[in-house]
Amino acid sequence: MPVKPYSSGHIGAVASNYTDMRLSGDVKQTLVELSCDEIARIVPLMETETLAQDPERKTLDDPKRTRLNYNRTRELMIEQLGDIESVGSAAVQAGIEQVESHLSVLIKHAEAAAERDRVATIKPRHLEVAISGLGLDESDPNAVVVTPSVETEEFTISQGGGVLTHSSLMSLAKTHAKMPVTNDALDELIDTYYMVVEDLEAKIRKHAQLGGNPVQFIESINQMKTLMSLGWMRNVLAKAAHNARESGLKRIDVDQIVHIDPFQ
C-alpha cells in the first residue's frame, strides 16, 4: 500500500516560513508533489552513500555527517520535563542541533588551547581551559553558565557541520527582519558571516598565545559565542530590514547587506 504523501496544509504551513505571501491551494498541492519528488531523488543517493560507508547497515543514515543519537536524545529530554508529558520530533531535532552547537563551541576552544601547547591532540587539560573560559565550571562558585539560550530559529543552521542554507536564513529573516530577502543578499550574508568567523578565530588564536591580553581573549570568546548562537545574524538582518524600509523597499537586497559594518 503506497505511503500517504504530505498534506497540502502541512506543506503550506512549512512553506510559509519562507515567504510572507499567501499560497493558493493549487500551489500547495504542487509543492506537495515537488517535495515527494525530492524525497524520491535524495533517498537512493543517501542509501548508496550509507552502504558505501557501512555495507552491513540496515538503517538509512545521513552519510554527510555523524549526528547525536535521536532516540537517546529524546529520552534524555523527556527525563528533564516538568509539566509537559512528551517530546515531539521537531523538539528532538532542535535539541540535537543545540547540543551539537554546544559541542562545537567547546571543541573549538579546546582546540585553540591544544594549539597553544603546540600539540596535535586535545587532552583533558585543554578541555578544562575551554570549560573554564566559557564559564561552565560548576566547581567554581563564581562561574556563570553561558550556554546559549534555546530558541527555535537557532536550530535552523547546522552549527556542527558549519552549514548555512538559503532556506534556514529565510526562516530567520522572516522572524527578525519580517521581510523577504533576495538570493543575492543571502549569498552576501553567508559570505560575510564566514569572513567574520574567520577573522574572529584568528583573533582568538592570537590572544590565546602565552602572554596575550586576557581581556581581549575573553572579549573575543564572547563575540564568538554571539556568532555561534546567531546573534550576529539576527542583528545584521534587523539592520538590513531597517535600511530597506528607510529606502522604501519591500525586500532586503545586496545593497542593504554590503552597507552594514559586519564588525560592529
Side-chain angles (χ1 to χ4, degrees), residues 199-254:
D199 180 80
L200 194 52
E201 284 181 341
K203 288 181 179 178
I204 289 176
R205 295 178 194 280
K206 177 182 177 181
H207 298 326
Q209 297 300 317
L210 191 62
N213 188 330
V215 175
Q216 293 177 328
F217 178 60
I218 293 172
E219 181 181 352
S220 295
I221 288 179
N222 289 334
Q223 291 173 354
M224 179 60 80
K225 287 187 292 186
T226 299
L227 282 169
M228 296 300 292
S229 66
L230 302 186
W232 179 92
M233 193 70 73
R234 292 194 294 268
N235 183 48
V236 170
L237 282 169
K239 288 181 179 179
H242 174 77
N243 293 342
R245 294 189 182 95
E246 288 288 306
S247 301
L249 302 175
K250 294 184 178 180
R251 64 178 57 210
I252 297 172
D253 208 341
V254 175

Side-chain angles (χ1 to χ4, degrees), residues 148-160:
S149 60
V150 178
E151 297 182 16
T152 301
E153 66 269 16
E154 291 187 11
F155 307 122
T156 60
I157 292 183
S158 175
Q159 298 293 354

Side-chain angles (χ1 to χ4, degrees), residues 182-193:
T182 67
N183 285 333
D184 289 341
L186 291 176
D187 287 335
E188 182 67 27
L189 189 59
I190 291 172
D191 289 343
T192 304
Y193 176 85

